[in-house]
Amino acid sequence: DTEVTQTPKHLVMGMTNKKSLKCEQHMGHRAMYWYKQKAKKPPELMFVYSYEKLSINESVPSRFSPECPNSSLLNLHLHALQPEDSALYLCASSPWTSGSSYNEQFFGPGTRLTVL
Amino acid sequence: QQPVQSPQAVILREGEDAVINCSSSKALYSVHWYRQKHGEAPVFLMILLKGGEQKGHEKISASFNEKKQQSSLYLTASQLSYSGTYFCGTEVQGGSEKLVFGKGTKLTVNP
């Protein structure tokens, strides 16, 4: 299995809702990422997990809460979002090991989030 | 700091060549290249490391000038399937896992 899967594909939520995005990979990769991508913009890094521990948080508001239950799964919990949080949320994984040279990232298809 | 890509957009006829550039004001450890088609996920094309190592698809070629902190992606004999937005991502520290992407170059290949 050489892909990253994400569910749901589309999500519409109100500002008071709580929802979660899910990402899964079975490539044995040890680093997983959440990116936010607005239309016609590049992906912006939000969080990085390496070996199931949060290693990077790019000063993301607390209404986004990441979780890595195991090496194959990554969740993003959403609460009290704002309309400006509407975007494509991409998950990625890479075979990263400490000090390795090649850290190419494999992206999932994304979740298109709309906040009303 | 975000790398600068040029050109912002390019239109080709099938079979023509193109070069996409990526430059950084910071010393880089690696440069990654990805292609994203409309409505799809970015797809890995190439990674170039400081020191000359590189890994990527056979049909893609790229270079990394460490002195200038510049990378170029060479698309030769373009095909319709090459259309999409190309992003370079730069990493300033090895093993940092933090990629910063440029704004992208939109490539359109027409028949």
Side-chain angles (χ1 to χ4, degrees), chain A residues 12-30:
Chain A
V12 180
M13 60 187 291
M15 289 190 285
T16 58
N17 293 155
K18 286 185 181 181
K19 297 286 184 183
S20 296
L21 310 183
K22 180 180 173 181
C23 172
E24 195 165 2
Q25 58 88 12
H26 295 286
M27 295 179 278
H29 290 175
R30 303 318 301 264

Side-chain angles (χ1 to χ4, degrees), chain A residues 33 37 58 96 104-105 108, chain B residues 34 36 41 55 97-98 102:
Chain A
Y33 313 76
Q37 187 177 28
E58 288 290 288
W96 182 80
E104 66 268 36
Q105 296 186 18
Chain B
Y34 293 81
Q36 186 176 28
K55 177 183 176 183
E97 283 309 298
K98 180 175 176 176

Side-chain angles (χ1 to χ4, degrees), chain A residues 31 33 35 37 41-43 45 48 56 58 90 94 96 100-105 107-109, chain B residues 2 29 32 34 36 41-42 44 47 49 53-55 87 91 95-99 101-103:
Chain A
Y33 313 76
Y35 288 89
Q37 187 177 28
K41 299 289 185 184
L45 184 65
V48 181
I56 296 178
E58 288 290 288
L90 293 162
S94 76
W96 182 80
S100 70
S101 298
Y102 297 117
N103 298 320
E104 66 268 36
Q105 296 186 18
F107 285 83
Chain B
Q2 188 175 41
Y29 174 78
H32 299 220
Y34 293 81
Q36 186 176 28
F44 169 76
I47 179 172
L49 303 180
E53 292 180 70
Q54 59 178 254
K55 177 183 176 183
F87 293 104
E91 183 183 16
S96 70
E97 283 309 298
K98 180 175 176 176
L99 274 188
F101 287 96
K103 291 185 177 181

Side-chain angles (χ1 to χ4, degrees), chain B residues 22-26 28 64-71:
Chain B
C22 175
S23 65
S24 173
S25 58
K26 290 193 169 185
L28 299 176
F64 178 24
N65 184 324
E66 291 179 42
K67 287 184 179 178
K68 294 184 177 181
Q69 301 305 320
Q70 291 178 349
S71 178

Side-chain angles (χ1 to χ4, degrees), chain A residues 10-109:
Chain A
H10 301 274
L11 179 63
V12 180
M13 60 187 291
M15 289 190 285
T16 58
N17 293 155
K18 286 185 181 181
K19 297 286 184 183
S20 296
L21 310 183
K22 180 180 173 181
C23 172
E24 195 165 2
Q25 58 88 12
H26 295 286
M27 295 179 278
H29 290 175
R30 303 318 301 264
M32 295 185 76
Y33 313 76
W34 281 115
Y35 288 89
K36 174 182 178 180
Q37 187 177 28
K38 291 274 201 179
K40 299 185 179 181
K41 299 289 185 184
E44 291 180 32
L45 184 65
M46 299 175 71
F47 302 104
V48 181
Y49 274 83
S50 57
Y51 290 88
E52 301 161 48
K53 291 186 179 179
L54 183 65
S55 57
I56 296 178
N57 176 344
E58 288 290 288
S59 302
V60 178
S62 59
R63 57 186 183 267
F64 295 92
S65 175
E67 178 196 21
C68 189
N70 59 57
S71 60
S72 300
L73 278 174
L74 187 66
N75 298 319
L76 186 63
H77 303 296
L78 315 172
H79 174 56
L81 294 192
Q82 304 297 311
E84 58 265 28
D85 296 322
S86 297
L88 179 67
Y89 287 84
L90 293 162
C91 172
S93 69
S94 76
W96 182 80
T97 56
S98 179
S100 70
S101 298
Y102 297 117
N103 298 320
E104 66 268 36
Q105 296 186 18
F106 297 81
F107 285 83

Side-chain angles (χ1 to χ4, degrees), chain B residues 24-103:
Chain B
S24 173
S25 58
K26 290 193 169 185
L28 299 176
Y29 174 78
S30 70
V31 179
H32 299 220
W33 287 96
Y34 293 81
R35 177 174 62 216
Q36 186 176 28
K37 293 179 180 283
H38 182 70
E40 298 182 9
V43 173
F44 169 76
L45 297 176
M46 176 75 73
I47 179 172
L48 303 104
L49 303 180
K50 170 181 158 180
E53 292 180 70
Q54 59 178 254
K55 177 183 176 183
H57 292 278
E58 290 180 1
K59 295 186 177 181
I60 300 287
S61 64
S63 64
F64 178 24
N65 184 324
E66 291 179 42
K67 287 184 179 178
K68 294 184 177 181
Q69 301 305 320
Q70 291 178 349
S71 178
S72 296
L73 184 70
Y74 304 98
L75 302 169
T76 56
S78 60
Q79 303 172 18
L80 297 177
S81 61
Y82 287 12
S83 293
T85 300
Y86 289 76
F87 293 104
C88 71
T90 54
E91 183 183 16
V92 297
Q93 181 180 342
S96 70
E97 283 309 298
K98 180 175 176 176
L99 274 188
V100 180
F101 287 96
K103 291 185 177 181

